Amino acid sequence: MCGIVGCVLKNEKVAPILFDSITKLEYRGYDSIGLATACEGKINLKKDAGKIAEVDSKLNLRDLEGNYGIAHVRWATHGDPSKTNSHPHLNKDETIAIVHNGIIENYLSIKDKLESEGYEFVSDTDTEVIAHLIDKYMKTGLDLTQSVRQVINVIEGAYALAAMTVSEPNRIVATRKDSPLIVGVGEEEFFVASDSPAILKYTKNIAYLEKGEIVVLDEEGVSFLDADDEPIEKEIEVNDWSPDMAEKEGYPHFMIKEINEQSAAVKNTLSERDKVKSIVDEIKGDIDKVLFVACGTSYHASMTGKYLIESLAGIQTEVLLASEFKYSASSLDERTLVIFISQSGETADTLKALDVANETSRTLAIVNVRGSSATRRADYTIYTQAGPEIGVAATKTYISQLVAIYLFASLLGEKDEILKDLEKVPAYIEDVLKKQDEIKRFAYKFKKLDKVPKYLKPILGKPNAYKGLDKNFRHVEDMFFIGRGYSYSIALEGALKLKEISYIHAEAYAGGELKHGPIALIDSNIPVVVIAPPGEDHKKIMSNLEEVKARGADIIGIGAIGDEDLVLKSDYTFLINSEVNDVLAPLVYIVPLQLLSYYVSVARNLDPDKPRNLAKCVTVE
Ligand code: M6R
C-alpha cells in the first residue's frame, strides 16, 4: 500500500539512487510514481500516474539535480490515480515536499481548518494536508523536525511519512505510526524506506522506527528522537538478505522466479526446527486452544494449520479472518495461543487483532519480513525463510508458512514421522517444477483471441460456447476448485491465485458442499479443478468429480501418478509423486495450481507481478 523512499547522499546526485530504490517497491503500489529532489533553493519534482516504466519513459525520472530527495509509488486510497494526486505533494510556495503511506483519517476536518486559514488544496488526497500543516508550523518559526512533531500531534490514522524543505538543505525528516518505515545507515548514504529491498543494494544496516519516533537524515548520518522528543540511540541490525534476492535474475517475472524458489524456501524454513522446538517446549502444557488469525493467502495457510494441529496434537483449533477478529474473538483467555500468520508482518487487520489478543493470550507471529511490526508485538516469532517476495501474489512465502506450521504442529504433537516426511518435500516440489512445461502448454489454451473469428461470434457467451471447438479454454470466465479436508485449503488458495492474476472468476468449494447449492451453476462453461491426492477422502472427491462431470464440466484433475481413474475421467491431469498423501498435499499440490495461474495470466497478456487493484502489503483496514 504505497512505497516510500527518502535518501541523503554526501556528494552524489540522488535521483538515480532514489529511482532505483523506489523501483524495488513497485510491488507496494503501481498507480503512479513521483520523485522530488532539491538544490539551490528549489524543489525539482517529477510525477505522474502510470507504472514506473511508462512514467519514466515519458519523464526521465533519473534526471533531477540535488543530493537529497524523496520518492513514492502509490496505491490509491483517496482520489483517483492522476498526476495531481500522485506524491510527492508540495506546499503552495513549493518549498516543502512530502511523501506518505497510509490513511489520514481526520484529514477532512484538518483540511476545513486549513482552508479557513487561506490554504488551497490541489489534490483529492488525504496526504496533502501534511504538506500544508508543515508549511503552517514552519511559518511560526519551527524547524522541519519540530514541525513534523506538530503534525504527528494533529493527524490520526496510519502513516509513514518523509518530508524535506529547501530551507534545510540535505535533510530528510521521517516518522511512522502503523505503517512500516525502516532506516538504512550506509557509509555515505542514508535512507528511509517502506521495506528493505529498496535499500539492500546500498546498505544492509537497518534500524526499525517505532510508533511516534522521528528520524532525521543528513549528510553526517542519522539521528533519532523518541515519542517524547528525547534523542535516542537505536540498535542497527544487519539484514542477511542479499540484493540479488530482490532481482528477477533472468526470469520474465518475479512470480515465476519465486515459484521456482519454493524447494529452497522449504529447505531453509525447515532449518528453523530448533527455534520452533524451543517455542513449543515453552508453551506446551500451558495451552488448551489455538486460534489462527490471518488474511488472504496467510488465512489459507492457517486453514491447513487447523487441520494439522487438531489431528497431530489433538488441540482444539479455530481460524479467523483478521478483519473479522473483533466480531468473534470473545472466547480468548490465557490458555489460548493466538497464531498470527503474515508474510509482511505489516497487514493492518492482522496487527489490529494482534494488539487485542496480546491483552489476554499468548501470541505467536509466523512472519517472513525481519523486524516487521508483527515480530515486535507478538510474544514469540518464527521467521519463514523464503527470502524477499516481490510478486504481489504470494507463492514461496505461502509454502514457507505451511512448513513453519507443519513443524509447529508435528513438534507439538510429537509426530516424528511427519517431521521425516517433511524432509522429502523439497524433492517432491522439484519434481513438479521439472514438469512445468506441461502446465504451460495447457495454460496456453486459456489465451484470449485478439480477434474473435466471425464463425465464433454467434455462439460465444452461450452455454456450451467452447465445447467442440478444439477444447480451448479461452472463453472461460468462471472456474471452480474442489477438495476435501487438507485439499479444501489447497482449493481455496488455488482459486485465490487464479482470480488475483488472471481475473478469471474462481471459487473454491469443499467437495461435499457442492450439492448444497453451488452445483446449480455448473455447466460446460465452468471447468472444475479437482484436487484428489491419495488418502481416505479420495473416493469421496472422485464422487464429487462425477457429479460435476455429469453436468458437463471439463475436469482438470490434480492427483497421484498411477491414479488411472482420475486420468480417465479428467480432460487434463497433472500428476504428482504418489508418496505425497493427503496430509502432505498442501505443500506440493499447490505448486501446479500456482503455475497454472501464472501461465494463464501470461497467456492472457496480463502482468502477474502487478495484478490490478492489489498491493503486496495491505496497511489499511
Ligand atoms: O502480508 P500478509 O501475509 O499478512 O498478507 C495477507 C494478504 O494480504 C495476502 O496474502 C494477499 O491475499 C496476497 N495478495 C495473496 O496472494
Side-chain angles (χ1 to χ4, degrees):
M1 296 258 136
C2 300
I4 67 182
V5 176
C7 179
V8 177
L9 298 177
K10 273 211 162 134
N11 300 309
E12 254 178 281
K13 204 167 131 180
V14 78
I17 289 181
L18 268 183
F19 178 80
D20 180 53
S21 298
I22 201 67
T23 303
K24 303 288 185 319
L25 298 184
E26 195 171 16
Y27 66 86
R28 300 181 67 88
Y30 26 85
D31 293 341
S32 50
I33 158 116
L35 270 73
T37 62
C39 74
E40 294 169 3
K42 185 173 165 284
I43 293 210
N44 306 307
L45 175 72
K46 288 191 180 185
K47 63 178 188 175
D48 207 345
K51 291 193 176 148
I52 294 181
E54 292 158 16
V55 178
D56 185 42
S57 69
K58 219 164 50 181
L59 301 180
N60 190 5
L61 293 165
R62 278 154 283 205
D63 185 23
L64 288 169
E65 294 304 319
N67 301 344
Y68 67 115
I70 53 182
H72 188 270
V73 281
R74 179 165 185 248
W75 185 89
T77 58
H78 295 65
D80 62 353
S82 65
K83 180 173 178 174
T84 319
N85 289 334
S86 309
H87 301 215
H89 288 281
L90 308 186
N91 62 335
K92 193 176 176 204
D93 302 342
E94 300 190 353
T95 51
I96 296 163
I98 63 111
V99 285
H100 162 232
N101 163 211
I103 290 183
I104 309 297
E105 287 166 0
N106 60 340
Y107 83 100
L108 281 175
S109 60
I110 299 173
K111 186 172 172 181
D112 281 351
K113 186 149 190 303
L114 286 167
E115 278 176 337
S116 72
E117 293 166 11
Y119 281 92
E120 287 167 20
F121 283 74
V122 292
S123 78
D124 303 319
T125 64
D126 53 335
T127 300
E128 197 185 339
V129 295
I130 300 170
H132 298 309
L133 280 174
I134 294 178
D135 177 273
K136 173 175 154 176
Y137 296 128
M138 289 195 75
K139 284 189 171 140
T140 67
L142 299 182
D143 66 16
L144 182 61
T145 311
Q146 292 161 334
S147 300
V148 167
R149 174 65 69 198
Q150 292 307 313
V151 170
I152 297 176
N153 294 338
V154 171
I155 58 175
E156 290 165 13
Y159 51 82
L161 66 94
M164 55 188 259
T165 172
V166 292
S167 58
E168 295 177 33
N170 300 337
R171 175 165 300 151
I172 286 168
V173 179
T175 187
R176 71 170 279 265
K177 175 182 162 255
D178 298 339
S179 293
L181 197 69
I182 59 164
V183 180
V185 189
E187 294 287 317
E188 302 214 315
E189 54 281 289
F190 307 103
F191 291 92
V192 286
S194 301
D195 199 358
S196 58
I199 60 172
L200 285 175
K201 194 164 145 191
Y202 306 99
T203 180
K204 287 170 163 243
N205 300 330
I206 291 174
Y208 297 96
L209 214 56
E210 300 293 343
K211 182 172 162 177
E213 290 177 351
I214 289 179
V215 61
V216 181
L217 317 182
D218 60 30
E219 289 162 304
E220 303 311 317
V222 301
S223 54
F224 298 93
L225 297 169
D226 70 9
D228 299 322
D229 241 5
E230 295 297 326
I232 43 166
E233 295 290 320
K234 288 205 60 102
E235 194 185 340
I236 310 284
E237 295 178 28
V238 179
N239 188 302
D240 57 6
W241 286 354
S242 86
D244 290 351
M245 286 169 142
E247 301 290 341
K248 286 190 196 144
E249 293 178 324
Y251 285 95
H253 297 102
F254 281 110
M255 184 175 175
I256 190 66
K257 175 189 175 231
E258 288 158 2
I259 290 174
N260 278 287
E261 286 171 345
Q262 292 187 107
S263 166
V266 169
K267 266 189 221 149
N268 294 339
T269 306
L270 282 173
S271 69
E272 291 296 288
R273 178 174 160 164
D274 289 348
K275 172 77 200 290
V276 178
K277 177 136 186 359
S278 70
I279 295 174
V280 167
D281 289 345
E282 203 176 321
I283 59 170
K284 206 174 173 177
D286 292 345
I287 54 165
D288 40 37
K289 190 173 152 196
V290 173
L291 173 63
F292 280 96
V293 181
C295 306
T297 289
S298 301
Y299 175 78
H300 299 152
S302 306
M303 294 263 308
T304 311
K306 171 181 162 63
Y307 293 124
L308 277 171
I309 292 183
E310 289 194 334
S311 70
L312 302 186
I315 296 178
Q316 187 202 341
T317 305
E318 304 299 335
V319 188
L320 272 182
L321 287 167
S323 55
E324 291 290 306
F325 179 83
K326 71 172 179 192
Y327 309 113
S328 49
S330 53
S331 64
L332 292 186
D333 59 32
E334 72 283 357
R335 293 192 61 83
T336 306
L337 173 71
V338 192
I339 305 182
F340 292 85
I341 312 281
S342 176
Q343 175 279 132
S344 61
E346 298 292 351
T347 301
D349 290 321
T350 307
L351 292 177
K352 241 330 180 275
L354 174 51
D355 287 342
V356 176
N358 270 333
E359 288 169 19
T360 45
S361 308
R362 295 213 203 179
T363 54
L364 163 66
I366 299 183
V367 172
N368 196 50
V369 177
R370 201 155 281 276
S372 55
S373 298
T375 68
R376 282 175 286 133
R377 297 195 203 171
D379 296 326
Y380 308 95
T381 297
I382 298 172
Y383 280 111
T384 51
Q385 300 294 340
E389 186 176 72
I390 311 293
V392 166
T395 54
K396 63 174 179 171
T397 56
Y398 169 68
I399 291 256
S400 307
Q401 289 169 346
L402 287 176
V403 172
I405 295 170
Y406 274 76
L407 280 176
F408 184 83
S410 337
L411 290 163
L412 196 61
E414 297 175 16
K415 294 286 187 291
D416 289 350
E417 62 283 8
I418 303 282
L419 290 168
K420 274 197 204 116
D421 287 345
L422 287 177
E423 299 293 333
K424 297 189 218 152
V425 168
Y428 298 142
I429 293 176
E430 282 298 329
D431 288 347
V432 173
L433 293 172
K434 276 182 205 146
K435 296 199 293 185
Q436 58 190 283
D437 276 357
E438 281 181 28
I439 298 174
K440 188 175 177 176
R441 275 195 297 276
F442 173 60
Y444 197 73
K445 289 171 180 272
F446 287 76
K447 182 180 166 61
K448 293 241 183 201
L449 294 180
D450 293 337
K451 224 171 156 200
V452 178
K454 244 190 196 159
Y455 75 96
L456 279 179
K457 280 191 180 156
I459 43 175
L460 288 185
K462 294 189 181 162
N464 298 316
Y466 65 88
K467 263 269 147 78
L469 301 172
D470 80 356
K471 265 275 163 66
N472 270 312
F473 289 75
R474 52 185 166 242
H475 311 302
V476 168
E477 293 304 339
D478 307 276
M479 217 150 120
F480 279 12
F481 289 66
I482 60 169
R484 283 174 169 261
Y486 289 103
S487 299
Y488 173 44
S489 66
I490 306 173
L492 285 164
E493 177 57 11
L496 179 69
K497 285 288 89 76
L498 190 73
K499 71 180 99 165
E500 280 186 303
I501 59 169
S502 76
Y503 315 143
I504 291 175
H505 168 234
E507 294 301 337
Y509 292 102
E513 192 59 19
L514 273 178
K515 54 189 170 297
H516 299 290
I519 203 163
L521 292 170
I522 293 287
D523 66 15
S524 61
N525 286 317
I526 304 192
V528 179
V529 177
V530 180
I531 300 153
E536 55 177 295
D537 286 327
H538 186 265
K539 273 203 187 106
K540 286 206 167 73
I541 196 71
M542 289 306 286
S543 303
N544 301 137
L545 180 156
E546 298 279 11
E547 289 159 9
V548 288
K549 194 173 173 66
R551 272 112 193 139
D554 282 326
I555 307 294
I556 300 167
I558 315 287
I561 293 171
D563 187 344
E564 283 170 19
D565 198 27
L566 183 71
V567 175
L568 201 71
K569 290 173 180 159
S570 303
D571 298 270
Y572 169 79
T573 21
F574 187 86
L575 299 177
I576 286 169
N577 190 319
S578 58
E579 287 170 13
V580 181
N581 61 15
D582 49 357
V583 180
L584 285 187
L587 290 158
V588 186
Y589 275 58
I590 191 59
V591 181
L593 301 183
Q594 295 166 337
L595 289 164
L596 180 66
S597 308
Y598 172 77
Y599 284 118
V600 169
S601 172
V602 171
R604 292 192 166 198
N605 285 328
L606 301 168
D607 181 347
D609 281 349
K610 300 186 197 84
R612 69 184 179 207
N613 304 338
L614 298 181
K616 184 78 184 156
C617 179
V618 184
T619 53
V620 292
E621 281 180 79

